[in-house]
Amino acid sequence: MLGKAPWKMAAGATAIALLAAGCGGGGSDDSSTTSNTVVIGIGEPQHLIPTNSTESNGSEVLASLFYPLVDFDAQNKPVPVAAESVTPDATSTTWTVKLKSGFTFSNGEPVTSDNYINAWNYGAYGPNGQGASYFFEKIAGYADMQSTDPDGEEGPKKAPEPKAKTLTGLKKVDDTTFTITLSAPFSGWESVMGYSAFYPLPKAAWKSEGVIADGFEDAIIGNGPFKLKGKWEHDSQIVVEKVADFKGTVPKVDGVTWKIYQDQQAEYADLVANNVDVQTTIPIESLAKASADLGDRFKKSPNSVFQFVGFPTFQKEFQDVRVRQAISMAINRQEITDQIFLGSQSPATSFVSPVVAGYRENTCGKNCEYNPTEAKALYQAAKGPSEIKITYNVDGNHKAWVDATCNQIKASLGINCVGGEEPKFADLLSKVEKKQPVGLIRLGWIMDYPLMENYLGPLYSTDGSSNYYGYSNPTFDNLVKEGSAAKTSEEAIAKWQAAEDILAKDMPVIPLRNGQNVYGYSTKVSNVNVDLFQKVDLYKIEVVG
Amino acid sequence: MFRYIVRRLLQMVLTFFGATFLLYALVFANQKDPIQALVGERPVTESQRIALTERYHLDEGFFMQYWYYMKGLFTGDFGTSLTGRKILDMMSDAWPVTLRLALIAIVIAAVFSVTAGVYSAIRRGGIFDNVTLIITLVLLAMPIVVLAPLAQLVFGIQLGWFAPTATRDATFVQLLLPAIVLACIVIAPEMRVTRTSVVENLRADYVRTARAKGLTRMRVIWVHVLRNSLIPVVTLIGVDLGTLMAGAIVTEKIFNIPGVGFNLARAIRTEDGPLVVGFVSILVILFLFINLLVDLLYAALDPRIRYE
């Protein structure tokens, strides 16, 4: 039979196997060590089509490939960038955008009004299912581009085709001028256009009118300072390089490798080993050793995250405002941010984030101050429920602080408090939609554009997109609308602040924490800034030496 | 032999359909709101929901969805993941790196456990035997969720012997640390089975005969004894493939390898039915083939085993 041969065979097979296993790998990418490029860690983006990209990973990459109409200065005021000027009419309803001339896409096509109009029409058209389509809501004609399923999702009928395929509010004046007509006056519109959904798309993007060419997303072409080198290597990396003679602000680095991580811990390991240059979010598990590992390359900066819990106001036991105030006063926010978040978040005492213009400290007043004795008296007077629940999604790392908050409530109010666990946020939402008693709801918000309205509208208006707890106050709704319609931003802020004061009285939610960027960088780079949207400022970052 | 293989292959077709059907049913039963799972904690607009529901037939019943999937499968189309990517593309990205990782792990585990197993069997009760006994005990007790980050911290970051993470086109050296970690979860059982098996065979009649014939000790052990002792070990290595794949989910996450394990974990998280079934189908096929191979190897190891 095989005699001695099996061992030779086995040895041979082993050698072949190891060789085969090793061979697949090419040379590793050392470009970051030798040239003027940086490696920034991200998660796999969901999409790279601007109107379909709503999460931070995708918008970070897009920010390197595209040049926005407006950007924000240090005070978060909008500044025209790719636009020469953005001018509203007397009522802030019709806005005229004039583009700077001479700009091109990285494939050489000039940037014209049509590039914007076509891209936005695509994004707004319902059947395209774009994630950021709600950004176009305020433009006239948006409603006609949507359709609703006549008999609900379960029903046999298909949704009819929408009435219109284009936004009536978008008008081309000439190649570098176009106008946007809103369905209602909105003084903050210029800030909205700073969001990534408002980037233009080149002619090369379209297979036919309103249809994006196959494979365009993996090889996307923008009007920004960098262009894609090769293709989007899914789950692995996205490499971008500088566009030659770019007309706008020119970044100091020659290229960026967006290295894709599945796990923030793995990314942190690479950061410490100098294999990745910037990590915009240090995982909470590594926070304790981060300053030892990174020294003064471990940094914090404000961001727009706002963490809170909402009261399901449709439930009887939470309808008395004193119950809501008492629970809020029973929580020691400072202790939780220090002990659980190790200072990576700060206590919130207002209903909007400190990063927006018009923010005032401590609008929540006494209601957000830790005062167990008064809380207990108030709670007993209002005859609050003897057991409450804070429901959260377990996949989001919320258990630790929810448990701590519950313990504080228990100690302060002398009632029982438990954390309600739902596997996913979607499960939580579906229970809330069916008005099942879930108790208090854990929620968070990241702004889309730096305006007070971006917190007040979606979170607390009666028809707000993220008002899951059913808060409704017509006076508040009107003030928010009046603020949006105001002629100047000062006037708008005054209205919005008046609206916020109503929240402080009604306490539909308990503000808990404001987020911070907690980031770190390698020894190879300097001037690293992470902005309000958790994005690295690509125009400032530099390679050392 | 040939008829045996054909019969096995036919059985495999049945197993394949049974397994994918069961899987699809399980994933479907677990499916609550894949669209919301996909977008995370953001609200989904009505028109987006309608568009995605229609695109992925989410509003239809289980059998219709399974039918769409199977229809695609037979035309060489594994379908589209909920993220919009072709599942075939995702698989061709993910499988090579995982196969390389698993192959290195299997080879490391087999070489190490067989050599060490035989050695401790010969020197039964000696220091080496006792020390390996304790080490395997520790390895058995240590779950991979502890082992992998520990190895990354010690050998990757602090000592700097290995790169702390690997990528899709990782070199052999980059994959070595994750492969060793992966191998650790199967080394202990493989080594112990080898040892026991060799110890038993050392007492067998044919060994006495071989010794009486005056064969050298080395030849008796490495040719006569080992060949008979390897039968249970080979079976175990085949079965261990499943353990390795389960371990790969953790290892790939920790070492940032965008392979099968990672894709599976993500697909389960986002309730992406077709993606789960696609990746696991290939796993099922692989598993079936390896087991066929193991069965055929028996014949080579033990001439008394013949398949008719």
Side-chain angles (χ1 to χ4, degrees):
Chain A
M1 278 296 294
L2 295 165
K4 277 186 211 166
W7 310 116
K8 286 185 190 155
M9 262 172 62
T14 310
I16 291 167
L18 288 176
L19 269 175
C23 273
S28 59
D29 189 16
D30 294 323
S31 58
S32 59
T33 52
T34 50
S35 64
N36 187 24
T37 63
V38 293
V39 184
I40 301 176
I42 53 168
E44 165 85 353
Q46 280 175 3
H47 289 286
L48 283 185
I49 299 289
T51 50
N52 206 9
S53 179
T54 50
E55 34 80 58
S56 59
N57 300 315
S59 54
E60 265 207 277
V61 177
L62 287 176
S64 63
L65 297 170
F66 286 89
Y67 206 55
L69 279 175
V70 294
D71 205 349
F72 302 99
D73 64 11
Q75 281 77 46
N76 282 318
K77 290 251 168 66
V79 187
V81 175
E84 179 78 52
S85 65
V86 179
T87 28
D89 65 354
T91 58
S92 302
T93 316
T94 301
W95 294 71
T96 308
V97 175
K98 192 150 178 41
L99 302 173
K100 278 183 189 151
S101 54
F103 273 85
T104 57
F105 287 97
S106 59
N107 65 350
E109 270 180 47
V111 182
T112 67
S113 313
D114 284 324
N115 297 124
Y116 286 92
I117 294 170
N118 291 339
W120 298 3
N121 278 332
Y122 177 83
Y125 187 57
N128 289 334
Q130 298 291 292
S133 78
Y134 63 94
F135 278 96
F136 304 101
E137 244 168 16
K138 291 193 166 77
I139 303 179
Y142 177 82
D144 284 346
M145 295 173 76
Q146 314 305 313
S147 63
T148 41
D149 209 336
D151 46 5
E153 221 177 282
E154 310 293 325
K157 282 192 209 150
K158 296 266 184 248
E161 203 156 285
K163 277 183 254 169
K165 282 201 141 183
T166 51
L167 290 161
T168 51
L170 295 180
K171 291 255 157 47
K172 179 179 174 178
V173 177
D174 58 49
D175 267 354
T176 55
T177 320
F178 64 102
T179 60
I180 305 148
T181 309
L182 307 177
S183 44
F186 183 43
S187 58
W189 178 253
E190 190 177 355
S191 296
V192 180
M193 286 196 297
Y195 192 73
S196 55
F198 293 90
Y199 293 139
L201 286 178
K203 283 204 190 79
W206 310 103
K207 189 160 78 182
S208 58
E209 203 186 315
V211 184
I212 288 202
D214 292 332
F216 176 73
E217 185 169 18
D218 285 348
I220 186 151
I221 297 162
N223 62 337
F226 296 100
K227 63 178 184 208
L228 218 54
K229 190 175 171 187
K231 281 191 172 187
W232 173 5
E233 295 169 48
H234 287 272
D235 293 328
S236 182
Q237 61 179 7
I238 301 170
V239 186
V240 300
E241 60 185 352
K242 217 176 204 167
V243 173
D245 51 69
F246 179 65
K247 296 284 185 306
T249 316
V250 178
K252 290 173 181 143
V253 292
D254 291 335
V256 179
T257 299
W258 301 99
K259 194 168 175 198
I260 298 169
Y261 287 89
Q262 287 98 50
D263 184 47
Q264 289 190 338
Q265 298 273 28
E267 188 181 341
Y268 183 75
D270 261 358
L271 177 71
V272 175
N274 256 353
N275 288 338
V276 64
D277 293 326
V278 188
Q279 179 172 23
T280 49
T281 314
I282 307 260
I284 201 156
E285 297 89 337
S286 309
L287 276 181
K289 57 184 164 117
S291 44
D293 286 340
L294 300 168
D296 54 2
R297 292 176 286 118
F298 171 58
K299 290 265 160 64
K300 286 179 194 167
S301 68
N303 72 21
S304 69
V305 175
F306 175 60
Q307 302 276 358
F308 61 100
V309 290
F311 287 104
T313 43
F314 46 80
Q315 277 181 39
K316 221 173 75 204
E317 63 258 49
F318 296 121
Q319 266 163 8
D320 191 332
V321 69
R322 287 176 297 170
V323 172
R324 308 202 287 262
Q325 287 169 341
I327 295 175
S328 174
M329 280 153 74
I331 300 168
N332 187 346
R333 293 164 176 74
Q334 188 69 49
E335 190 177 64
I336 288 177
T337 50
D338 288 348
Q339 303 287 324
I340 312 263
F341 294 97
L342 304 172
S344 63
Q345 303 199 358
S346 56
T349 52
S350 297
F351 295 86
V352 299
S353 163
V355 300
V356 293
Y359 165 83
R360 290 162 300 159
E361 221 170 283
N362 207 14
T363 50
C364 179
K366 211 170 71 167
N367 290 341
C368 289
E369 256 165 50
Y370 176 56
N371 190 343
T373 31
E374 206 183 325
K376 193 167 185 178
L378 201 61
Y379 199 77
Q380 280 169 347
K383 296 200 175 56
S386 60
E387 172 164 334
I388 61 168
K389 192 159 85 167
I390 303 177
T391 302
Y392 61 98
N393 47 315
V394 283
D395 61 350
N397 261 337
H398 298 298
K399 188 175 168 44
W401 72 260
V402 169
D403 285 350
T405 309
C406 257
N407 284 334
Q408 291 179 344
I409 291 173
K410 268 189 222 168
S412 310
L413 300 180
I415 57 166
N416 197 16
C417 174
V418 289
E421 300 186 349
E422 291 294 333
K424 287 176 185 164
F425 193 64
D427 301 316
L428 174 58
L429 286 193
S430 64
K431 282 199 171 171
V432 173
E433 271 158 24
K434 289 180 200 133
K435 299 215 186 297
Q436 287 177 4
V438 293
L440 278 64
I441 314 161
R442 192 264 352 144
L443 292 161
W445 182 253
I446 305 176
M447 71 181 183
D448 297 317
Y449 43 87
L451 281 184
M452 271 182 97
E453 188 268 347
N454 193 228
Y455 288 84
L456 301 178
L459 293 182
Y460 317 110
S461 298
T462 306
D463 54 356
S465 63
S466 293
N467 179 356
Y468 299 116
Y469 28 86
Y471 173 68
S472 173
N473 183 333
T475 330
F476 174 85
D477 290 353
N478 278 335
L479 279 169
V480 174
K481 279 203 196 90
E482 281 170 29
S484 301
K487 286 202 179 63
T488 63
S489 57
E490 288 73 26
E491 215 177 296
I493 284 171
K495 292 281 183 195
W496 288 332
Q497 285 178 339
E500 196 188 349
D501 292 339
I502 294 180
L503 294 177
K505 278 198 219 93
D506 284 356
M507 289 297 288
V509 305
I510 309 178
L512 288 178
R513 298 179 308 277
N514 292 313
Q516 287 186 76
N517 298 314
V518 181
Y519 61 101
Y521 52 91
S522 75
T523 51
K524 285 181 222 155
V525 290
S526 68
N527 256 338
V528 182
N529 294 286
V530 177
D531 69 9
L532 304 176
F533 302 92
Q534 296 173 322
K535 288 192 284 223
V536 177
D537 191 333
L538 296 171
Y539 298 94
K540 288 197 184 129
I541 189 169
E542 277 178 90
V543 174
V544 181
Chain B
M1 188 77 158
F2 177 71
R3 283 183 53 182
Y4 175 78
I5 295 177
V6 170
R7 209 165 61 225
R8 282 288 299 263
L9 287 175
L10 286 176
Q11 281 172 4
M12 275 160 67
V13 174
L14 272 179
T15 321
F16 176 75
F17 278 109
T20 50
F21 182 78
L22 221 79
L23 246 162
Y24 209 94
L26 283 173
V27 175
F28 185 82
N30 183 38
Q31 204 171 53
K32 281 182 204 137
D33 188 356
I35 297 174
Q36 185 67 55
L38 182 74
V39 297
E41 304 191 355
R42 283 193 160 267
V44 192
T45 58
E46 178 71 9
S47 53
Q48 193 184 10
R49 187 171 281 280
I50 293 174
L52 290 177
T53 304
E54 216 165 287
R55 198 174 304 161
Y56 298 111
H57 308 294
L58 292 175
D59 51 347
E60 304 203 43
F62 165 65
F63 284 101
M64 278 316 277
Q65 287 197 27
Y66 185 67
W67 165 246
Y68 282 123
Y69 182 72
M70 276 298 156
K71 206 170 74 182
L73 210 58
F74 283 112
T75 49
D77 177 13
F78 272 86
T80 315
S81 141
L82 281 183
T83 54
R85 285 189 68 200
K86 290 256 174 289
I87 292 176
L88 206 62
D89 290 347
M90 299 177 83
M91 291 210 274
S92 62
D93 276 349
W95 273 104
V97 65
T98 299
L99 283 184
R100 277 191 286 144
L101 179 67
L103 209 62
I104 300 175
I106 287 179
V107 170
I108 291 174
V111 169
F112 186 80
S113 55
V114 169
T115 355
V118 170
Y119 194 75
S120 55
I122 303 169
R123 302 278 161 82
R124 195 150 49 100
I127 295 176
F128 184 80
D129 189 23
N130 280 318
V131 168
T132 47
L133 200 72
I134 292 167
I135 293 176
T136 52
L137 210 67
V138 172
L139 283 182
L140 275 176
M142 192 108 80
I144 191 152
V145 284
V146 176
L147 205 59
L150 197 70
Q152 185 187 46
L153 180 71
V154 174
F155 300 108
I157 297 179
Q158 284 178 347
L159 296 175
W161 294 351
F162 299 92
T165 63
T167 48
R168 175 175 297 140
D169 30 49
T171 54
F172 174 70
V173 181
Q174 281 175 314
L175 284 177
L176 205 55
L177 186 61
I180 291 173
V181 168
L182 208 50
C184 279
I185 53 175
V186 292
I187 276 180
E190 280 177 15
M191 203 184 115
R192 288 189 163 199
V193 168
T194 314
R195 178 183 172 275
T196 319
S197 180
V198 170
V199 166
E200 258 171 38
N201 279 314
L202 279 175
R203 285 196 291 256
D205 288 343
Y206 71 89
V207 175
R208 206 174 330 128
T209 315
R211 286 214 181 112
K213 280 200 302 188
L215 294 181
T216 61
R217 187 181 150 80
M218 284 311 272
R219 189 166 166 79
V220 171
I221 289 168
W222 288 102
V223 178
H224 293 245
V225 173
L226 190 57
R227 185 148 157 195
N228 282 305
S229 311
L230 273 187
I231 294 177
V233 181
V234 167
T235 319
L236 195 64
I237 294 177
V239 178
D240 275 343
L241 186 82
T243 321
L244 286 179
M245 283 302 155
I249 293 186
V250 177
T251 318
E252 288 185 353
K253 182 172 149 69
I254 287 166
F255 291 98
N256 198 46
I257 304 166
V260 173
F262 162 68
N263 273 289
L264 260 179
R266 173 168 62 187
I268 293 166
R269 195 174 64 235
T270 56
E271 299 173 14
D272 201 333
L275 193 59
V276 177
V277 181
F279 272 91
V280 179
S281 305
I282 306 279
L283 262 180
V284 170
I285 294 174
L286 216 88
F287 208 74
L288 290 172
F289 267 103
I290 299 254
N291 275 298
L292 177 63
L293 204 73
V294 165
D295 285 353
L296 295 179
L297 259 179
Y298 286 167
L301 288 167
D302 187 346
R304 287 171 303 180
I305 300 172
R306 279 287 172 268
Y307 302 109
E308 294 306 331

